[in-house]
Each structure stands twice: as structure tokens, then as C-alpha cells.
Amino acid sequence: MDNLQITLTIILLVIEVAAFAWLIIDIQKSKRKQDKIIELERQILQVENTIIELEQKISDKIDILIKLQKND
């Protein structure tokens, strides 16, 4: 009976260690995915800022053209 309890305790310990290791690996994978998402969001923000700058330049040039046309 004692051998059975020791064997079951060892099996349970191995299962718990394996489950803990799996949890750590899963957390690391989630962190890498989160980092990738954050980097993609940064890239999107950079593209949006570039678009806004271009729109501002276009707007400025349109304003200049309108002023020039009024002066003529």
C-alpha cells in the first residue's frame, strides 16, 4: 500500500510539473504574440501619421492655389 501511495504521489508530482511547464510556455507564446501585435499597431500609427502629413501638405498647396487664383 505504501508503494502505491508513493507511486501515485510521484505521478501526481510529474503531472503538476508538466502542467506548470506547459503554462509557462503558453504564457511566453502569448507574450510574443502580444509583442507582435503591438509592433504592428506602431507600424499602422506611423503609416497614419505619414498620411496625415501628406494630407496637410496637399491642403496647404490647395490653399496656396486658391490664394493665387484669387489674386489673378
Side-chain angles (χ1 to χ4, degrees):
M1 185 68 172
D2 287 336
N3 284 340
L4 179 61
Q5 286 180 338
I6 291 172
T7 303
L8 290 175
T9 302
I10 291 171
I11 291 172
L12 182 60
L13 180 64
V14 169
I15 291 171
E16 287 178 358
V17 168
F20 190 68
W22 175 81
L23 181 62
I24 290 172
I25 291 169
D26 191 49
I27 288 171
Q28 288 175 341
K29 285 181 183 178
S30 295
K31 177 70 173 135
R32 283 193 294 265
K33 288 179 183 178
Q34 183 182 21
D35 290 344
K36 189 178 278 188
I37 289 170
I38 290 171
E39 179 58 32
L40 288 172
E41 288 178 346
R42 280 191 193 121
Q43 290 176 3
I44 289 170
L45 284 174
Q46 287 175 346
V47 169
E48 288 176 345
N49 284 334
T50 302
I51 290 171
I52 289 171
E53 288 173 5
L54 289 171
E55 287 176 341
Q56 184 62 45
K57 287 179 182 179
I58 290 170
S59 176
D60 291 344
K61 291 187 185 228
I62 289 173
D63 288 343
I64 291 170
L65 287 172
I66 290 172
K67 287 179 183 177
L68 287 173
Q69 198 172 36
K70 285 183 180 180
N71 289 336
D72 285 345

